[in-house]
């Protein structure tokens, strides 16, 4: 039987061999119940998550520069190669 420590914010870490056996991945949801002195964790059925368009916000940050003027200069260099 594995033991885990309860952290400051009531957090626990599921031992890796148990998480692997149960196919629990980061960001999976678990139903938690407490009955007759027993805590039970049950993985919630996985469904394909649909990412919000906002999940992609900022993914290109710094790609063309950090300031507005740096970005304008970099885009100006590349505009000539764009097909019209």
């Amino acid at each position: 039987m594995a033991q885990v420590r309860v952290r400051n914010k009531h957090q626990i870490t599921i031992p890796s061999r148990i998480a692997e056996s149960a196919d629990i991945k980061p960001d999976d949801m678990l139903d938690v119940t407490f009955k007759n002195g027993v805590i039970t964790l049950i993985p919630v059925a996985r469904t394909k998550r649909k990412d919000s368009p906002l999940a992609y916000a900022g993914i290109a940050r710094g790609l063309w520069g950090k300031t507005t003027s740096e970005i304008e200069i970099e885009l100006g260099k590349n505009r000539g190669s764009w097909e019209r």
Side-chain angles (χ1 to χ4, degrees):
M1 179 179 290
Q3 293 184 346
V4 297
R5 182 178 311 276
V6 179
R7 301 293 175 182
N8 291 340
K9 295 181 181 180
H10 302 106
Q11 297 170 330
I12 62 168
T13 299
I14 299 171
S16 60
R17 70 178 187 278
I18 293 174
E20 288 170 4
S21 295
D23 196 28
I24 297 171
K25 307 276 191 247
D27 293 328
D28 281 355
M29 297 296 293
L30 304 173
D31 281 332
V32 181
T33 58
F34 176 76
K35 187 175 184 179
N36 298 326
V38 177
I39 298 170
T40 308
L41 304 172
I42 302 172
V44 176
R46 287 189 198 101
T47 58
K48 179 110 174 124
R49 292 186 185 106
K50 294 183 179 180
D51 287 336
S52 161
L54 292 178
Y56 298 99
I59 62 172
R61 184 175 290 134
L63 185 61
W64 295 292
K66 293 185 179 182
T67 65
T68 307
S69 58
E70 288 176 358
I71 294 169
E72 285 295 328
I73 291 168
E74 193 62 34
L75 287 176
K77 291 177 189 175
N78 294 319
R79 278 194 178 111
S81 66
W82 296 349
E83 293 182 25
R84 294 182 190 233

